[in-house]
Amino acid sequence: MTDKYAVIGNPIGHTKSPMIHGSFAQATGQDIDYSAIEGSLERFTDDVHAFRKAGGRGMNVTAPFKLQAYALATERLERAELAGATNALKFEGDRILADNFDGVGLTNDIQSNLGFPFEGARMLVLGAGGAVRGALQPFLAQKPAVVVLANRTQAKAVDLAKQFAGHGRVQGCGYGDLAGERFDIVINGTSASLRAELPPLPAQALQGAKLAYELAYGKGLTPFLRLAQNAGVPKLADGVGMLVEQAAEAFLWWRGVRPDTRSLIDRMTIPLV
C-alpha cells in the first residue's frame, strides 16, 4: 500500500521537496506518494487534519507554518523544543510528533559534504531568527571553539546566546562588535539574500575564513557570497545541500532508511556565478 506524505507551505510552487523525496523513494525502494499542499493562512490546522484523515503519514513544513506546526504537535522532540519550531511532522494514531531537521541538515552538509569540521572552529552566524535558532543545538553539539551570533538588534542575539549557553560556548553581539575578529566558518542565516540585500557585515570579519555559507539556495552569487569572494574566502556554498540533507533526515524518521544524498546534491547544485 502506498503511504502518503506531503510538504505544506504558502506559497509552495517553488518547492523541490516532491522531487527530492521522489528520488529518495526510488533509490531506496520505498512505496510512497509525496505531494505539495498550499496551506491556508487561516486554516492550517484544518489542512493538516484533512491530510491525516486522507491517510497521510507525515509532512514537511515550510514557511510560514513552522510555528503553527510546533503548536499543533502533541509531542515534540528535543530539537523542535529547542528551536521552538518544527519542519517535520509524523502521524501515529492520535499522536502528532514534531521534529526539526534544519540544523542537523546544515551541519551534515558543511561537515560531511563540504569537509569543514566544526570541532575547534570559530564560527560566525549572521542573524538570530528561526533558522539560526534551529541550527544552534546541532552546531554546539560538534564542539566548536565558539559560535558568535551577530544581529542587527544586538539584544536579540545576546538573548538567544544565553538560551543556548548550556550547550556550548556561544556569544551574541551586534555587527559593529565584529571589528578585529576572525572566523573559520561564516554562515548567513538572515533573509537579506532573498531581497538581494547584504547584512551590515564588516568585510574584515570574512578575512581568513575558510568557508562562507549562504542558507538561501538557487540565488547564485548573492551579495553576501560576493562579499566573501572579494574578501578571498576560498570556498563558497549555498543552502542546496542543507535542503537535501534535512529532507534525508525526515525520510529516515518516517521510513527507517536513510537515502544517499551526494548524487542528488550534485545534480541540484547551480554554479555560483
Side-chain angles (χ1 to χ4, degrees), residues 39-212:
S40 167
L41 298 178
E42 295 80 22
R43 297 184 302 277
F44 169 76
T45 297
D46 292 341
D47 291 338
V48 173
H49 288 319
F51 181 70
R52 290 178 64 202
K53 289 178 181 178
R57 298 285 301 276
M59 302 182 87
N60 287 121
V61 182
T62 188
F65 298 126
K66 292 184 180 184
L67 296 180
Q68 293 181 60
Y70 176 86
L72 179 63
T74 60
E75 299 176 42
R76 305 177 186 97
L77 280 73
E78 181 184 19
R79 284 182 296 240
E81 287 282 9
L82 288 170
T86 181
N87 79 330
L89 298 172
K90 181 163 63 172
F91 309 128
E92 294 183 349
D94 293 332
R95 304 163 68 205
I96 303 177
L97 287 75
D99 208 334
N100 190 312
F101 299 114
D102 286 336
V104 68
L106 177 56
T107 300
N108 288 346
D109 188 38
I110 293 176
Q111 292 198 130
S112 300
N113 299 330
L114 299 177
F116 292 88
F118 287 1
E119 185 172 0
R122 289 179 54 81
M123 300 178 64
L124 172 61
V125 181
L126 312 182
V132 173
R133 175 182 289 274
L136 275 178
Q137 188 272 339
F139 282 4
L140 293 168
Q142 301 302 311
K143 303 187 184 306
V146 65
V147 175
V148 175
L149 309 176
N151 195 56
R152 289 179 186 269
T153 305
Q154 179 176 340
K156 189 174 181 180
V158 171
D159 288 346
L160 185 57
K162 288 179 180 178
Q163 292 175 40
F164 282 83
H167 295 269
R169 189 177 175 210
V170 56
Q171 302 171 0
C173 68
Y175 286 102
D177 299 318
L178 295 173
E181 297 288 336
R182 294 292 183 269
F183 301 94
D184 301 300
I185 298 170
V186 182
I187 299 169
N188 183 19
T190 75
S191 60
S193 293
L194 300 178
R195 304 183 298 274
E197 297 174 359
L198 180 67
L201 173 68
Q204 61 265 31
L206 286 157
Q207 292 174 0
K210 302 177 180 67
L211 169 68

Side-chain angles (χ1 to χ4, degrees), residues 14 24 28 100 106 108 141 144 173 181 201 246 257 261 270:
H14 65 285
F24 288 165
T28 59
N100 190 312
L106 177 56
N108 288 346
C173 68
E181 297 288 336
L201 173 68
Q246 65 81 28
V257 58
T261 56
I270 299 173

Side-chain angles (χ1 to χ4, degrees), residues 17-42:
S17 293
M19 182 274 291
I20 292 171
H21 284 275
S23 296
F24 288 165
Q26 184 176 19
T28 59
Q30 297 290 303
D31 185 10
I32 72 168
D33 175 74
Y34 190 104
S35 60
I37 298 172
E38 184 164 299
S40 167
L41 298 178
E42 295 80 22

